[in-house]
Structures are given as structure tokens and as C-alpha cells.
Amino acid sequence: MNNIKTVRDLFILLVGSSLVSNVVLSQFLGLCPFLGVSKKIKTAAGMGAAVIFVITLASAVAGVIYKFILIPFKITYLQTIVFILVIAALVQFVEMFLKKAIPSLYEALGVYLPLITTNCAVLGVALTNVQKNYGIGTGVVNGFATALGFTIAIVILAGIREKMEHNDIPENFKGMPSVLLTAGLMAIAFCGFSGLL
Amino acid sequence: MKENKITERLFNGLLKENPTFVLALGMCPTLAVTTSAMNGLGMGLTTMVVLALSNLIISLLREFIPNRVRIPAFIVIVASFVTMVQLLLEAYLPSLNTALGVYIPLIVVNCIILGRAESYAYHNPPLPSLFDGIGMGLGFSVALTLIGAVREILGTGNVFGFHIMPAGYTPINIFVLAPGAFFVLAALTAVQNAIKKKAAAKGKDVSKVGSGCTEDCSTCGDKGCTKRFYDADAPEKNPVINEAKESEAKESEVKETEAKEEESGVKEESSNE
């Protein structure tokens, strides 16, 4: 897959990264927040918004650093170290900046930001962008689409969990096992999207 | 005494605090790479190498790493070893490298590694830390291989590439696909819940037993997978360190009581015979 040249490419990338190879349900990245913060639709949506924000920003920054620092100096083998440090520092800076500059946005996203600091999805997107030779623009679109897929999945799961709360579930399957089964069924449903492309 | 400590660490990682089956750490790679027993074993051993070496180095440097910047320091050390291992795999085991793909560099954010650095290597001498890493890594490898084998048998009828199921067996393909991973983990956590309940009914301490990031991500943070990059808290006020110390104290108490219980259990059994 090359960089985006037409609207068709853009659409294929958006659908492919958000639905077909969904970040949690087919790649298993970002499982911790997916399972941990999906009890209520409202918090799940907040988490999703924070993830979209951070991943889009992180893939832009990682893309710029890769192209203008790592490639010119021929130190691309340091990508893992550089990306993880940059992402972790970036999240913390964003948190401080939002607290100072846009308190209303901080109110909405602030609690979720520290949870994403070393989320594997963020690093995963940055590394995938490099592996697939995406340019900076394409990388950002890919990051946004991946995060969108995460948000879709976590909101759906939260909706199901809200409904499931009062169901009669076998004693040992209460809590996490039933959530994992739900996620498995959702993964089957998302398998259906692979026919789209 | 030292011998005891080393074997105790190995045993601890393999069984008593098995990272996957007991602590339920590092679920992302567990689900993603266990499509076959071979991939599971490869991922487990790779993680073991990184875990053992990073534990050793962190333990050697524990006097020099300031408490406030310990997380970034851990991350740099772990990421360096992951990069080395990745380059070695690319050179000598390219097929495994392509099979595991992006999950090799993602070992950096594996909860197990930062968790062990934080809760064991940062407070203990190098040799036990090294063997703690090896023990935990072995436990992780065994768990991944087992899960991989189960999925491979159910999904394709093979294990390590050998066909073992009877000819009439129709493979349930879904078990090697993404949904199968969730189903296997769901079954595993249900079994864990059942065992936990039985143990709790007998009055044993089961607080250490996790279940697949059950609780909020905040508790995941205590185990080291989501942590603030730079901890501004003063060392004595740092809840993570205090908690680690407390849990260590608790652990030793639990061990003593468990040892006593086991002894009494053995006596009872022998008297029954």
C-alpha cells in the first residue's frame, strides 16, 4: 500500500484501518483501556476521544521525527527507543498544556491522558506507519482511522456491557470472562468487514 | 541460601506468580501471537531474554537511577534490549521475525517487563533479579506455548506442525482467527475465577491473582503498564514504591503462612494414608 494519491485511496485507508483490521478486535492493541474503561458509554466515549487526539498527534510527531531526524542521520534502528520516549513525553506535555491553556478540554480528556502514556496502540501505529512506508500525511490519516476504530469498538462494547449488567450470568463467568466473550463475538462481526475491500 | 533464592525465583515465576495464569499481565501479546504453539514459544523466549537482561541491568543501576526519573530510565534500558533482540531475530530467525511482526518492538510496553523492573529489580540485588527475569520469562513462555497449542489443536488439528487429531476431526477455524483468542482467554479467566473462589473459601490470600486487566486501568498502572513518564512526587510520598514495599512485606507474611499451611496439609495427608 502506497501513500494516498486519490480520494479512493483515502477512503480505502480509512475503512481498512478503522473497520477491517480493527486495532483491538483484530490486532489486539490497546486491550487494557478497551477492557478497563468500557463500563459506561460516557467514559468509553471520553476515552475514545482522548485516544483519537493522542494517536493522531503522536503519528504526526513520530512521522516528522522519522523523516527529518532518523533517516538523515541513518539511525532508523533506534526507532523503538525514540518513538516510545517521544510519545510518553508528548502525552505528558499535552496534559500540562491542556491544563494551562484549554481547561474545558482538560476536564473532558484529562483523566484519560495518563492512561494512554504507554498504551501499545499508540506505539503500534507509529511503528506500523514506518513498516508500511507511509509518508507523514498518510501516517496521520492512518493514525486517525486506527483510533476511530478503537473508539467505535469501545463504545459498542460499553453499550453491550451496560445492557448486560443485570443479566443472569453463570457465577464464574461474571466480570471479565463475559466481557471477553462479548469482545470475541464482536470480533466475529468485525471479521465480516474484510469483505469490504 | 543463595542457591535457594535463585531456585525460589525460578519457581516463583514459573508457577506461584506465573505472569499469564496468575498475575494476568501482558495480555496484548498473549492474545495476538498465540495463533500457533511455535509463535507462542518464540514470543515467550524473546520476551524472556529481554526481561532477564533488563532486570539485570536495572538491578545493577538501581543505586544510580534517581527515583523521579526511574520510569524513563527503565523504558530506555528495555527499549535498547528490545532493539538488539529485534536486530538479532532479523538476522538469524527471519521467519519468526515476520510471523511476530510489530509485536516484537511492542515488547517495550509489555506490562510484565516494566512491572518486574518496578516491583522486583529496582529493589533487589542483580543475581536474584536476573533469575527473577528468567523465571518470569519461562513462566510466560510456558503459558504462551500452552495457549498457542490449544488454539492450534482446536483450530487446525496440528501442534508444532504435526498433525495429531484423528482423521474425522473437523478443525474449528475460528480458534486460530482473532475471535478465538478472546474465547480462549475468556475460558481461562473463568477457570481462574473458579480457582480463586475456591482458594478464597479456604481462607487463602488471593489478592495477587489478577484476571486479565479486570479492574480499571488504574490498577494496571500499579503493575507498571500505564504510568506517568515523569513522577513529580517526592520518593517518600510515592504511592507506587510504598505499595511495592507493603506488598513485599505482605508477600513474605503470606509465604510464611502458606508454608505453614502446606506443612500442616502434608501432615494431614500423610496421617490419612
Side-chain angles (χ1 to χ4, degrees):
Chain A
M1 177 109 181
N2 299 315
N3 286 334
I4 299 174
K5 290 190 194 88
T6 59
V7 180
R8 190 168 169 271
D9 289 348
L10 177 74
F11 185 72
I12 289 179
L13 183 63
L14 276 176
V15 173
S17 297
S18 63
L19 298 177
V20 178
S21 54
N22 186 282
V23 65
V24 263
L25 295 174
S26 81
Q27 296 188 56
F28 308 105
L29 299 178
L31 267 181
C32 258
F34 179 67
L35 300 173
V37 200
S38 58
K39 279 192 188 117
K40 294 262 176 307
I41 293 183
K42 211 181 153 206
T43 48
M47 185 74 197
V51 167
I52 292 182
F53 184 69
V54 169
I55 290 191
T56 313
L57 199 64
S59 42
V61 173
V64 168
I65 286 180
Y66 189 75
K67 192 168 179 195
F68 294 108
I69 297 180
L70 296 189
I71 291 182
F73 288 101
K74 297 197 175 71
I75 44 171
T76 48
Y77 60 89
L78 286 179
Q79 51 174 342
T80 314
I81 305 179
V82 171
F83 285 174
I84 184 81
L85 288 179
V86 165
I87 289 167
L90 177 82
V91 176
Q92 203 130 34
F93 273 125
V94 167
E95 198 188 345
M96 285 192 251
F97 175 76
L98 285 184
K99 207 172 184 176
K100 214 58 182 177
I102 323 173
S104 58
L105 193 61
Y106 180 77
E107 290 273 297
L109 303 182
V111 272
Y112 306 107
L113 285 176
L115 299 180
I116 324 175
T117 313
T118 52
N119 182 338
C120 42
V122 187
L123 183 63
V125 171
L127 290 169
T128 317
N129 284 344
V130 169
Q131 269 182 2
K132 292 193 178 171
N133 276 326
Y134 287 157
I136 297 172
T138 316
V140 172
V141 175
N142 182 39
F144 173 76
T146 309
L148 188 70
F150 176 86
T151 310
I152 294 172
I154 196 173
V155 170
I156 295 178
L157 181 70
I160 301 176
R161 277 182 79 171
E162 277 190 7
K163 296 275 177 214
M164 261 181 15
E165 208 168 315
H166 305 292
N167 287 4
D168 189 20
I169 299 168
E171 192 60 33
N172 290 329
F173 274 87
K174 272 183 188 157
M176 206 32 57
S178 60
V179 177
L180 285 166
L181 281 180
T182 316
L185 293 174
M186 280 171 65
I188 295 181
F190 271 70
C191 278
F193 284 119
S194 56
L196 270 179
L197 292 184
Chain B
M1 185 60 205
K2 223 170 197 181
E3 289 279 320
N4 261 339
K5 184 100 180 164
I6 287 167
T7 47
E8 190 265 326
R9 283 333 294 172
L10 288 176
F11 178 72
N12 180 60
L14 259 175
L15 294 171
K16 214 168 159 195
E17 284 186 19
N18 186 295
T20 307
F21 292 141
V22 180
L23 300 183
L25 287 175
M27 281 302 155
C28 291
T30 308
L31 289 182
V33 301
T34 52
T35 47
S36 72
M38 200 60 216
N39 283 355
L41 185 63
M43 183 69 186
L45 292 181
T46 315
T47 312
M48 184 183 88
V49 172
V50 175
L51 184 55
L53 292 176
S54 62
N55 256 8
L56 176 69
I57 299 296
I58 287 168
S59 169
L60 283 171
L61 293 176
R62 70 186 189 284
E63 305 287 334
F64 304 102
I65 300 175
N67 201 19
R68 285 182 165 198
V69 290
R70 65 184 193 288
I71 302 289
F74 294 167
I75 291 178
V76 171
I77 293 169
V78 175
S80 316
F81 281 117
V82 169
T83 309
M84 285 180 212
V85 169
Q86 193 188 358
L87 291 175
L88 285 174
L89 281 183
E90 258 175 53
Y92 295 106
L93 290 168
S95 60
L96 185 67
N97 189 48
T98 36
L100 298 179
V102 78
Y103 297 101
I104 296 278
L106 284 178
I107 294 176
V108 180
V109 285
N110 191 327
C111 298
I112 300 174
I113 295 182
L114 274 185
R116 288 328 283 178
E118 178 86 12
S119 66
Y120 196 86
Y122 196 53
H123 309 286
N124 287 288
L127 204 59
S129 297
L130 173 70
F131 281 92
D132 180 73
I134 295 177
M136 279 283 159
L138 276 180
F140 190 57
S141 310
V142 169
L144 286 197
T145 315
L146 283 179
I147 298 176
V150 168
R151 285 181 65 186
E152 207 182 348
I153 291 172
L154 290 173
T156 63
N158 299 345
V159 67
F160 284 112
F162 297 108
H163 199 76
I164 57 157
M165 291 303 262
Y169 175 76
T170 323
I172 315 165
N173 265 335
I174 198 119
F175 275 99
V176 285
L177 300 175
F182 285 110
F183 293 144
V184 171
L185 189 66
L188 193 67
T189 3
V191 171
Q192 208 180 32
N193 274 353
I195 294 173
K196 211 163 139 182
K197 247 171 226 142
K198 266 189 191 161
K202 277 184 192 165
K204 280 190 185 167
D205 180 75
V206 285
S207 58
K208 272 204 155 252
V209 183
S211 55
C213 288
T214 328
E215 301 89 19
D216 298 314
C217 260
S218 50
T219 50
C220 214
D222 296 339
K223 289 170 188 165
C225 71
T226 48
K227 197 85 51 57
R228 264 161 217 257
F229 190 50
Y230 174 80
D231 242 325
D233 290 339
E236 68 270 16
K237 276 184 190 168
N238 191 309
V240 176
I241 293 291
N242 290 342
E243 211 171 87
K245 278 180 189 161
E246 275 168 28
S247 70
E248 266 167 31
K250 214 192 258 175
E251 203 180 309
S252 55
E253 274 173 32
V254 170
K255 266 176 206 160
E256 280 166 20
T257 51
E258 265 180 17
K260 276 177 197 166
E261 273 172 24
E262 272 167 24
E263 271 172 27
S264 58
V266 170
K267 272 175 200 165
E268 273 170 31
E269 273 171 26
S270 54
S271 63
N272 283 345
E273 281 167 11

